Amino acid sequence: MAPTHGHGTLTAGSFSLLLTGRHVIPTATFDLLHRRLLWVGGKGGVGKTTVAAALAVLAASRNQRCLIVSTDPAHSLGDVFDRPLDDRPQRLQPNLDAMEIDPDAEVDAHLQRVTEQMRKLAAPEMLNELQRQMQLTRHSPGTQEAALLERIARLVTAPPDDYDLIIFDTAPTGHTLRLLTLPEAMAAWTDGLLSHNRKSAELGKVLQHLTPRSGRDVTSPFDEPNDDPMRGLDKRTRDVAETLRNRRRLFHQARRRLEDPALSGFLFVLTPERLPILETVRAVESLKQAHIPVAAALVNRVIPESADGNFLQQRRVQEATYLQRIDSELGQLPRPRLPWLETDVQGIEVLQQLAGLLAEQGF
């Protein structure tokens, strides 16, 4: 029987596998589901959403309190579970919640927070201009990613009171790489704003002392480097600096958790085809350079040995070459495999079957 294709292929949260003649390659057990944070990603169309959902079902079946979060603007997580989802966690079954982060909603909420804060700091005559600038910012490049990152950072740094495991179903590789390496850039950017804010405030204090009306001696703001850098600043300046410091702290904490292999791991999903292999090899190297631990590379949609027909036989010959290439270029990682199923994956029942296949692979 030839594999089926159509609306339910992997990007939409379903994928075609043969339930009969399972192609199971035993692998060593690894502790992917015992970490606090699991990121599932890969090239568009390789099945990452389905794999992420099945892993969440598997973790929940083991009494782990699991939250699965879609960060892909083109959400398909709800399609996989056959349930409508939004940006609030919804209970799907015992121990399993799911949500889809809405980037536009995150941008609106983020800009609303900034606007409300700036209203307290800006002069009344600046409010109209402030509102105009916020509207322009909404459509600026990177605004969605920055807002999405802040939401993810808050999930990453939240205390593990509600969930033992958070699985992130990420966007296609390029978007995810930018997102995961953004905390460092955002923290550095915030450090720059803090430094600028501090120097501006210090200069303002010096200028104030130099005015004839001050009647006070001029002192250097650098006389006591160990003193509170915010001491003596007006409330407005303190509020701005404290906001920046809290934001910097959030991104630094998120970054530390991303880099900790005991807490966080990235699972790449790929298919035994040329382009997914090339993209995965490059992405693994990029995350390595960013000090983000990669835990495994899961090879999806492997043709089962029981599949017959001349067409599949030819495909199997080509596939064998690509599987060897994966073993060669990603040999440093565990490489579990999943076969094709003959039906689309949609709903908890089929996900439970797929979770069983993942358990056989060492998850």
Side-chain angles (χ1 to χ4, degrees):
M1 178 184 297
T4 59
H5 299 276
H7 171 71
T9 57
L10 289 177
T11 48
S14 52
F15 75 136
S16 307
L17 292 119
L18 292 176
L19 280 169
T20 58
R22 292 179 177 179
H23 186 79
V24 177
I25 305 295
T27 61
T29 300
F30 48 100
D31 63 349
L32 206 58
L33 295 182
H34 296 290
R35 306 182 194 201
R36 163 72 173 163
L37 307 168
L38 173 58
W39 311 82
V40 181
K43 183 177 175 60
V46 297
K48 54 187 176 51
T49 298
T50 302
V51 170
L55 286 170
V57 169
L58 178 59
S61 72
R62 295 173 176 173
N63 293 320
Q64 289 180 266
R65 298 168 302 166
C66 180
L67 170 67
I68 181 169
V69 181
S70 172
T71 67
D72 189 344
H75 295 299
S76 57
L77 189 61
D79 297 329
V80 172
F81 284 108
D82 198 21
R83 290 275 300 275
L85 299 174
D86 55 30
D87 60 355
R88 295 166 297 178
Q90 295 187 35
R91 180 58 50 90
L92 302 182
Q93 66 176 53
N95 296 317
L96 178 57
D97 292 353
M99 62 185 288
E100 294 178 338
I101 297 178
D102 182 349
D104 290 328
E106 290 302 317
V107 169
D108 290 340
H110 174 73
L111 294 182
Q112 182 63 29
R113 289 193 297 270
V114 172
T115 301
E116 290 302 317
Q117 190 161 38
M118 292 304 295
R119 285 182 185 277
K120 302 174 184 177
L121 305 174
E125 61 271 17
M126 293 296 295
L127 293 182
N128 288 337
E129 178 63 17
L130 171 64
Q131 192 67 35
R132 189 180 76 87
Q133 292 295 332
M134 289 297 100
Q135 289 299 322
L136 292 174
T137 299
R138 191 187 191 287
H139 303 288
S140 298
T143 300
Q144 269 198 357
E145 289 179 329
L148 184 61
L149 173 65
E150 184 166 345
R151 180 67 181 276
I152 292 173
R154 296 190 185 282
L155 286 169
V156 167
T157 58
D161 298 334
D162 297 324
Y163 300 106
D164 305 308
L165 170 67
I166 301 178
I167 298 177
F168 292 92
D169 169 35
T170 70
T173 307
H175 181 276
T176 298
L177 291 179
R178 290 194 303 273
L179 198 63
L180 291 180
T181 55
L182 198 55
E184 185 174 346
M186 292 289 284
W189 177 76
T190 304
D191 285 343
L193 287 179
L194 271 171
S195 176
H196 177 76
N197 181 73
R198 183 165 54 250
K199 290 176 181 177
S200 296
E202 289 164 349
L203 178 60
K205 288 194 296 181
V206 171
L207 293 176
Q208 184 182 37
H209 282 299
L210 287 173
T211 58
R213 292 173 298 174
S214 66
R216 291 175 288 180
D217 294 333
V218 178
T219 58
S220 168
F222 305 103
D223 284 344
E224 298 178 45
N226 295 323
D227 197 6
D228 177 10
M230 315 299 284
R231 185 173 64 86
L233 302 184
D234 61 87
K235 184 179 185 304
R236 177 181 297 181
T237 304
R238 276 182 170 273
D239 287 343
V240 171
E242 188 58 31
T243 299
L244 292 174
R245 291 173 71 181
N246 288 338
R247 189 174 178 81
R248 178 184 64 178
R249 188 178 299 114
L250 173 68
F251 290 130
H252 277 306
Q253 289 174 350
R255 182 68 182 182
R256 284 196 297 271
R257 284 163 173 75
L258 282 172
E259 293 178 350
D260 187 347
L263 292 176
S264 179
F266 200 99
L267 171 67
F268 277 104
V269 179
L270 70 158
T271 52
E273 299 169 285
R274 178 176 174 272
L275 293 181
I277 294 172
L278 291 173
E279 185 166 308
T280 301
V281 170
R282 287 194 295 262
V284 168
E285 182 59 30
S286 295
L287 289 188
K288 179 181 177 182
Q289 293 177 4
H291 307 291
I292 295 175
V294 179
L298 185 145
V299 187
N300 198 17
R301 296 193 302 196
V302 177
I303 299 174
E305 295 177 359
S306 61
D308 56 11
N310 291 332
F311 175 81
L312 287 179
Q313 291 296 337
Q314 291 298 318
R315 291 288 300 180
R316 186 179 286 110
V317 172
Q318 176 179 277
E319 178 184 87
T321 300
Y322 286 133
L323 290 173
Q324 290 178 354
R325 183 171 178 178
I326 291 171
D327 289 343
S328 173
E329 300 197 34
L330 297 172
Q332 76 278 17
L333 297 172
R335 299 173 308 284
R337 297 180 184 179
L338 283 178
W340 270 353
L341 288 171
E342 65 180 2
T343 59
D344 289 344
V345 176
Q346 188 175 40
I348 294 291
E349 183 177 346
V350 182
L351 285 170
Q352 288 171 339
Q353 297 175 11
L354 187 56
L357 290 177
L358 288 168
E360 293 176 5
Q361 290 293 300
F363 286 90

